[in-house]
Amino acid sequence: MGSTDGTPADTAPAARDRDSEGRARNARPRDGLGRPLPYGAQGVPRQPEGVVRRPEESVAEAQRLLDEGKPFHAHEVFEDAWKSGPEEERELWRGLAQLAVGLTHAARGNATGGARLLRRGAGAVEEWARGGGGGESPHGMDLPGVVAWARDLAAEVESGPGDPVDAAARAPRLRGAA
């Protein structure tokens, strides 16, 4: 006979990974693109969540991760900035996080999702810059260059054969040409 939650009476529900406050957390190791690996597999170190950084530190850390081919992890840095930064910058950081997720999808071979998120993020960043939020180079970033990068990559992955892109080779230059 089954239990009241629909599982067989002799089957215990699978334990979920929880943090110290009881929130669900997935402790499975992940690869450089954020894909979960089997428990016990060797993954890349996780990006700590909830880190409050100065904006310039967020840009530098995200660029380091992007250059290493870890856009999923760069997205976490942008997400921290979005959640902890001033209200007037939240849409900028959210758009940058979308760009990093778009690159993640493109690197995983998901051309449709990658192109969609790259365009959405580019639009959000562009709209924020147009709205007078901080101009085209807040915290030393080259927003017109980042937007152009995102739109070019979106068009490329959408019209290509659907092969995964090399995330490190295709990483944006947040502060312009190096």
Side-chain angles (χ1 to χ4, degrees), residues 5-149:
D5 68 0
T7 60
D10 59 348
T11 305
R16 294 192 62 189
D17 299 324
R18 302 274 176 186
D19 66 13
S20 61
E21 296 174 5
R23 289 187 300 257
R25 296 284 184 228
N26 190 332
R28 285 175 60 182
R30 295 193 176 255
D31 71 6
L33 293 174
R35 293 176 289 217
L37 299 170
Y39 285 102
Q42 183 67 34
V44 300
R46 303 281 298 257
Q47 188 65 31
E49 293 181 42
V51 177
V52 178
R53 300 173 181 88
R54 290 188 351 254
E56 294 78 11
E57 293 170 328
S58 293
V59 173
E61 179 65 4
Q63 186 68 69
R64 180 185 70 77
L65 292 163
L66 290 164
D67 291 345
E68 290 177 4
K70 299 176 184 172
F72 177 84
H73 301 275
H75 139 267
E76 298 286 352
V77 172
F78 289 136
E79 191 171 280
D80 285 342
W82 155 25
K83 291 179 178 178
S84 68
E87 181 67 34
E88 62 271 11
E89 290 187 2
R90 291 207 172 142
E91 290 305 306
L92 167 65
W93 297 110
R94 187 171 70 91
L96 292 168
Q98 289 172 331
L99 293 176
V101 173
L103 178 56
T104 299
H105 281 284
R108 290 176 177 176
N110 177 359
T112 301
R116 184 176 297 129
L117 281 161
L118 286 162
R119 285 196 180 96
R120 185 181 304 153
V125 168
E126 191 172 53
E127 185 176 324
W128 182 86
R130 254 196 325 258
E136 295 183 338
S137 60
H139 313 298
M141 287 186 283
D142 172 16
L143 296 187
V146 171
V147 167
W149 162 85

